[in-house]
């Protein structure tokens, strides 16, 4: 693993990993929002790629995808956007979040070389379960990219142990059944699931899906190494769509304020 | 042709098929596969399925010689496998009964389904009522508008029809939404897929429940002809469930098979649903298959006058049979299917579904290239009552269905 992942792993913080959609509401805004998120204390960044048929996503991220598509954002441009982020000084690991069909059309080999050239650290494919990911996993390992594994509360125990042991970058634990989106409560038994994940994982264990406020985040502090926030952040971006285009500097300030208000206080 | 056994243990038909779904539902696919394989080895289950097909759906459906149509058209004799005479008016009920019985066997109380034209939605709502299951049907807003009659039927049958406003608001999006529901409700809900699409084991299971079409056809044709097989078999293909069910027993025989896709306004235009003629490899609804998409992999909106063929993907086994060259896939335009529908009405007194009219249209072309003593069997997958509104609009030359 590269230095960015080593730093991520060695961090003593309760890791905050935000998700935003590339090209939402435009490419330049994505760059500023990414940098702002790092300033807010993000330990890594998930960059979504707009897709016509995002079947693991709820309405908020679906709409973000539609805005991204209108900007003609695609997988290749998203990867290249990462090198622009690196030029601007972004130091945290960046994970490309893409549906498999987009990856298939670009070509898995082409993805790997583009990712290496542009400073990408990992990839997450929500519709590519472990059983179908053999080739991509090998390719990623050979090129020091992390293929982020997702495990769900419905994952069989043996499979959970195996995936946790083999996980690279971080292990993504899905907090609840269903698509991405804000939730009011989480299921029982979640702590056992997280515990089993942590016992077996050699990388940080992160919890995601549905987290939208400080109370919810703190709920998982003892049982995980970090958390992922997507829809709650994307929803704020949606609400500030116009301002992020017309008065970006002010809008980004407000965005940072919003993100900070959501995070546990000790995050810088 | 000798073929490898498909699908393999990973649900692959050559390169096609597989399980491209979120990890959350992987366990449910395994559970389903296990339950399905067990049921298929269980004689009581198989007997129950056959019995329900007979006493509830009215099977076997007849094989009708369309003698006046054949005479008018010239060339080979055309036989119609009358799936339109099933309960609820289409072949969809075969699969719905099979999957509902499996759901009951698995102890599930809720089913969800997607629907385009509403035929599968009606079939799902019907079996839910029959077997005491709750039923939620996802249907695109656009399809709800153009298939109001079927929406009303589903509600009458006690189903909840959920309007899908995401994406292009048609079958593709209804399927996305049904999958999204299933990811959330997977622990107590059975997803009753309507076509030979989706992640493994769905394509295999749907074929299994639909192969009754081909098996009956083979027997009926054999009795009528004194032991022969037809010289060609034709079926329309959207997702491809009636076609795969019809083809199933013929694949290992030396019978030419033809799948007919919707060419819409022409395969040279951008308004068609000719997935195999114009599509490329990609993943849709959990399966690697051929689909209509941009170079970047955004799935594009198909078009056909027939809502049941209006699907950007196709069942993975069809993609495989196409690649192997075992089945020839042709495309027929809106206009050709409308002409065939009218000709069938006038000569045989049968109003077929617009989907099935595509198969009829191609068989008319094919028949003309064959001798009078040759035979073609066409799968008449459904009846046309649901399309009367579209036909009226066409006749008036007014609003076209787009």
């Amino acid at each position: 693993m590269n230095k960015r992942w080593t730093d991520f792993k060695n961090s003593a913080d309760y890791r905050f990993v935000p998700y935003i959609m590339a090209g939402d509401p435009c490419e330049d805004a994505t760059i500023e929002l990414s940098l702002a998120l790092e300033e807010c204390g993000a330990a890594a960044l998930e960059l979504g790629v707009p897709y016509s048929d995002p079947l693991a996503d709820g309405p908020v991220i679906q709409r973000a995808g539609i805005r991204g598509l209108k900007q003609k954002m695609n997988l290749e441009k998203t990867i290249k956007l990462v090198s622009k982020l690196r030029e601007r000084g972004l130091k945290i690991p960046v994970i490309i979040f893409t549906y498999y069909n987009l990856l298939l059309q670009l070509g898995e080999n082409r993805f790997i070389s583009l990712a290496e050239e542009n400073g990408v650290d990992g990839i997450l494919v929500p519709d590519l379960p472990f059983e179908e990911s053999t080739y991509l996993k090998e390719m990623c390992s050979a090129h020091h990219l992390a293929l982020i594994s997702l495990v769900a509360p419905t994952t069989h125990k043996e499979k959970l142990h195996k995936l946790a042991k083999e996980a690279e970058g971080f292990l993504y634990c899905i907090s609840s059944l269903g698509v991405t989106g804000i939730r009011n409560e989480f299921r029982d038994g979640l702590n056992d699931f997280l515990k089993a994940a942590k016992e077996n994982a050699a990388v940080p264990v992160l919890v995601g899906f549905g987290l939208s406020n400080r109370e919810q985040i703190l709920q998982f502090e003892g049982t995980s190494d970090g958390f992922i926030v997507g829809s709650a952040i994307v929803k704020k971006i949606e609400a500030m769509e116009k301002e992020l285009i017309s008065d970006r500097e002010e809008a980004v300030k407000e965005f940072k304020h919003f993100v900070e208000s959501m995070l546990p206080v000790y995050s810088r | 042709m000798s073929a490898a056994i498909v699908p393999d243990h990973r649900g692959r038909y050559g390169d096609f098929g597989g399980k491209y779904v979120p990890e959350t539902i992987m366990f449910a696919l395994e559970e389903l596969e296990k339950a399905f394989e067990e049921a298929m080895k269980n004689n009581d289950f198989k007997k129950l399925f056959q019995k329900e097909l007979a006493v509830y759906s009215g099977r076997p459906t007849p094989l009708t010689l369309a003698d006046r149509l054949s005479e008018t058209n010239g060339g080979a004799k055309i036989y119609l496998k009358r799936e339109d005479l099933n309960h609820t008016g289409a072949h969809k009920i075969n699969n719905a009964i099979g999957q509902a019985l499996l759901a009951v066997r698995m102890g599930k109380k809720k089913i969800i389904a997607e629907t385009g034209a509403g035929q599968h939605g009606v079939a799902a709502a019907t079996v839910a009522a029959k077997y005491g299951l709750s039923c939620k049907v996802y249907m695109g807003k656009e399809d709800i508008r153009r298939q109001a009659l079927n929406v009303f039927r589903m509600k009458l049958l006690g189903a909840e029809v959920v309007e899908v406003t995401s994406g292009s608001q048609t079958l593709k999006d209804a399927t996305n939404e049904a999958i999204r529901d299933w990811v959330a409700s997977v622990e107590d809900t059975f997803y009753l897929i309507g076509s030979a699409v989706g992640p493994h084991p769905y394509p295999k299971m749907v074929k299994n429940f639909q192969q009754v079409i081909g098996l009956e056809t083979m027997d009926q044709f054999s009795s009528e002809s004194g032991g022969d097989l037809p010289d060609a078999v034709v079926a329309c293909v959207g997702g491809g469930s009636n076609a795969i069910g019809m083809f199933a027993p013929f694949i290992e025989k030396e019978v030419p098979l033809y799948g007919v896709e919707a060419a819409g306004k022409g395969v040279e235009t951008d308004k068609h649903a000719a997935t195999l003629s114009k599509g490329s490899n990609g993943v849709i609804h959990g399966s690697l298959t051929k689909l209509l998409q941009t170079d970047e992999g955004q799935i594009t909106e198909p078009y056909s006058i027939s809502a049941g063929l209006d699907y950007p993907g196709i069942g993975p086994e069809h993609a495989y049979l196409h690649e192997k060259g075992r089945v020839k896939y042709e495309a027929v335009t809106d206009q050709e299917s409308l002409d065939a529908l009218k000709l069938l009405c006038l000569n045989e007194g049968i109003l077929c579904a617009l989907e099935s009219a595509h198969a009829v249209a191609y068989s008319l072309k094919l028949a003309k290239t064959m001798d009078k003593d040759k035979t073609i069997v066409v799968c008449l997958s459904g009846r046309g009552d649901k399309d009367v509104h579209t036909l009226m609009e066409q006749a008036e030359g007014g609003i076209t269905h787009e």
Side-chain angles (χ1 to χ4, degrees):
Chain A
M1 286 292 104
N2 64 26
K3 179 168 184 315
R4 287 189 290 264
W5 278 125
T6 314
D7 289 349
F8 177 86
K9 192 179 174 180
N10 293 338
S11 166
D13 291 344
Y14 187 51
R15 298 164 189 77
F16 162 48
V17 176
Y19 167 102
I20 57 172
M21 179 69 78
D24 172 28
C26 65
E27 184 174 327
D28 288 342
T30 303
I31 293 174
E32 300 306 327
L33 291 169
S34 302
L35 294 166
L37 285 163
E38 185 178 42
E39 284 169 32
C40 290
L45 173 71
E46 279 184 22
L47 214 45
V49 184
Y51 182 47
S52 56
D53 292 77
L55 54 73
D57 283 308
V60 171
I61 293 178
Q62 286 176 39
R63 290 197 299 270
I66 293 168
R67 292 192 294 274
L69 283 173
K70 278 196 190 129
Q71 296 290 317
K72 306 218 174 342
M73 184 50 67
N74 61 29
L75 177 54
E76 186 165 342
K77 284 187 197 167
T78 304
I79 300 167
K80 289 182 173 165
L81 206 154
V82 179
S83 86
K84 294 178 190 168
L85 291 172
R86 297 295 177 214
E87 279 165 28
R88 292 283 302 276
L90 191 89
K91 291 189 179 56
I92 52 177
V94 177
I95 300 117
I96 302 287
F97 182 112
T98 178
Y99 283 87
Y100 188 57
N101 196 45
L102 301 177
L103 184 63
L104 204 57
Q105 304 315 316
L106 182 69
E108 286 164 286
N109 296 342
R110 172 116 175 98
F111 170 82
I112 299 282
S113 57
L114 277 172
E116 277 186 312
E117 282 165 30
N118 291 281
V120 170
D121 303 288
I123 179 169
L124 193 162
V125 189
D127 58 345
L128 189 73
F130 167 76
E131 288 78 352
E132 301 287 358
S133 69
T134 316
Y135 180 73
L136 186 62
K137 196 163 171 58
E138 275 171 23
M139 290 292 291
C140 283
S141 301
H143 295 265
H144 308 289
L145 286 167
L147 175 63
I148 304 294
S149 300
L150 288 113
V151 289
T154 54
T155 304
H156 290 308
K157 222 177 195 172
E158 301 77 51
K159 187 176 174 186
L160 170 64
H161 293 173
K162 182 180 161 62
L163 291 183
K165 283 196 179 86
E166 293 177 6
E168 293 187 343
F170 59 83
L171 181 66
Y172 193 135
C173 294
I174 299 170
S175 70
S176 33
L177 307 188
V179 293
T180 57
I182 295 162
R183 286 170 176 74
N184 293 325
E185 51 187 55
F186 298 95
R187 58 192 273 139
D188 297 335
L190 194 57
N191 282 342
D192 291 342
F193 163 59
L194 291 172
K195 203 173 150 208
K198 262 192 77 93
E199 276 168 11
N200 288 278
V203 292
V205 169
L206 273 60
V207 58
F209 273 44
L211 277 66
S212 63
N213 60 51
R214 188 176 285 167
E215 290 69 39
Q216 285 180 332
I217 291 165
L218 287 173
Q219 205 181 316
F220 297 110
E221 203 190 355
T223 44
S224 65
D225 305 308
F227 58 96
I228 297 144
V229 183
S231 296
I233 289 176
V234 171
K235 204 173 168 186
K236 180 66 182 173
I237 294 172
E238 178 172 55
M240 298 178 64
E241 182 183 356
K242 278 200 189 108
E243 295 82 349
L244 279 165
I245 290 170
S246 62
D247 187 7
R248 189 165 304 137
E249 206 171 312
E250 269 310 301
V252 170
K253 264 186 214 163
E254 189 191 327
F255 174 75
K256 279 177 71 173
H257 184 73
F258 166 81
V259 173
E260 277 161 0
S261 73
M262 190 171 59
L263 298 178
V265 266
Y266 56 77
S267 287
R268 289 147 257 214
Chain B
M1 189 191 87
S2 75
I5 293 171
V6 287
D8 66 15
H9 68 285
R10 293 168 59 225
R12 292 282 179 169
Y13 301 83
D15 289 340
F16 303 108
K19 299 178 188 177
Y20 294 90
V21 295
E23 171 61 25
T24 305
I25 53 177
M26 284 300 282
F27 89 97
L29 293 176
E30 277 170 40
E31 180 188 86
L32 177 64
E33 186 177 358
K34 213 171 140 221
F36 168 65
E37 297 295 345
E38 274 170 14
M40 285 302 116
K41 284 185 199 119
N42 183 297
N43 281 330
D44 292 342
F45 181 85
K46 287 196 285 189
K47 270 187 210 152
L48 176 64
F49 177 49
Q50 293 306 326
K51 183 184 161 213
E52 295 296 88
L53 289 178
V55 302
Y56 188 62
S57 191
R59 302 202 72 94
T61 58
L63 184 68
T64 308
L65 171 61
D67 47 358
R68 290 196 66 224
L69 179 71
S70 308
E71 190 70 26
T72 309
N73 183 59
K77 277 194 283 188
I78 296 171
Y79 287 82
L80 307 170
K81 177 57 175 167
R82 301 294 304 281
E83 292 302 299
D84 59 318
L85 294 179
N86 272 300
H87 178 45
T88 71
H91 72 289
K92 294 286 186 192
I93 194 78
N94 304 329
N95 168 55
I97 291 174
Q99 288 196 45
L101 291 176
L102 189 61
V104 170
R105 188 178 160 85
M106 291 172 75
K108 307 272 178 178
K109 300 267 189 291
K110 296 192 226 170
I111 60 172
I112 52 171
E114 80 297 333
T115 197
Q119 290 305 97
H120 174 59
V122 167
T126 298
V127 296
K130 165 81 176 152
Y131 302 112
L133 305 163
S134 81
C135 177
K136 212 192 274 185
V137 179
Y138 286 89
M139 187 169 187
K141 189 178 175 184
E142 178 57 22
D143 287 332
I144 286 180
R145 187 191 65 79
R146 56 193 194 189
Q147 300 290 345
L149 183 67
N150 273 343
V151 174
F152 185 71
R153 285 170 77 191
M154 286 183 262
K155 289 181 179 166
L156 208 55
L157 290 158
E160 179 191 349
V161 179
V162 184
E163 182 178 87
V164 175
T165 54
S166 59
S168 51
Q169 311 184 346
T170 59
L171 176 59
K172 162 177 93 81
D173 309 286
T175 309
N176 287 337
E177 219 51 61
I179 294 174
R180 288 181 184 125
D181 179 317
W182 201 38
V183 176
S185 63
V186 61
E187 289 169 309
D188 65 353
T189 300
F190 188 99
Y191 180 20
L192 207 163
I193 293 189
S195 194
V197 301
H200 180 66
Y202 279 103
K204 181 182 181 184
M205 182 164 74
V206 174
K207 178 189 185 184
N208 195 294
F209 291 139
Q210 290 292 5
Q211 67 182 353
V212 62
I213 304 172
L215 292 168
E216 281 179 12
T217 299
M218 207 178 234
D219 279 354
Q220 290 164 328
F221 191 87
S222 175
S223 327
E224 170 130 354
S225 64
D228 288 344
L229 290 167
D231 297 302
V233 174
V234 181
C236 67
V237 185
S241 69
N242 90 86
I244 206 69
M246 175 55 115
F247 296 163
F250 291 103
I251 290 171
E252 294 302 315
K253 310 279 180 190
E254 304 267 319
V255 179
L257 304 174
Y258 299 89
V260 186
E261 299 190 301
K265 295 189 186 299
V267 287
E268 70 290 351
T269 70
D270 60 358
K271 292 212 170 299
H272 62 78
T275 311
L276 288 176
S277 312
K278 306 292 278 188
S280 52
N281 288 13
V283 168
I284 182 170
H285 300 142
S287 180
L288 179 65
T289 183
K290 294 277 182 192
L291 64 120
L292 300 175
Q293 58 183 327
T294 67
D295 292 343
E296 289 171 6
Q298 307 294 349
I299 298 174
T300 54
E301 197 42 38
Y303 163 81
S304 166
I305 191 168
S306 134
L309 301 183
D310 202 348
Y311 183 67
I314 188 164
E317 191 167 4
H318 286 293
Y320 172 75
L321 292 169
H322 174 251
E323 195 171 84
K324 286 265 169 199
R326 175 61 191 94
V327 178
K328 248 186 117 184
Y329 292 86
E330 305 284 348
V332 157
T333 64
D334 286 358
Q335 194 55 53
E336 290 171 311
S337 71
L338 284 165
D339 293 346
L341 180 142
K342 286 176 199 157
L343 206 63
L344 182 67
C345 260
L346 291 173
N347 286 283
E348 300 293 337
I350 297 170
L351 171 58
C352 73
L354 276 166
E355 290 78 8
S356 323
H358 284 71
V360 175
Y362 184 71
S363 70
L364 293 171
K365 283 198 229 178
L366 182 65
K368 283 182 181 156
T369 69
M370 295 163 71
D371 289 340
K372 247 181 139 64
D373 60 344
K374 299 288 182 191
T375 54
I376 301 173
V377 174
V378 181
C379 185
L380 209 70
S381 55
R383 68 179 184 224
D385 307 44
K386 69 179 175 59
D387 295 317
V388 168
H389 183 65
T390 306
L391 295 170
M392 279 166 68
E393 285 178 346
Q394 285 289 326
E396 287 158 10
I399 320 144
T400 49
H401 152 122
E402 277 178 47

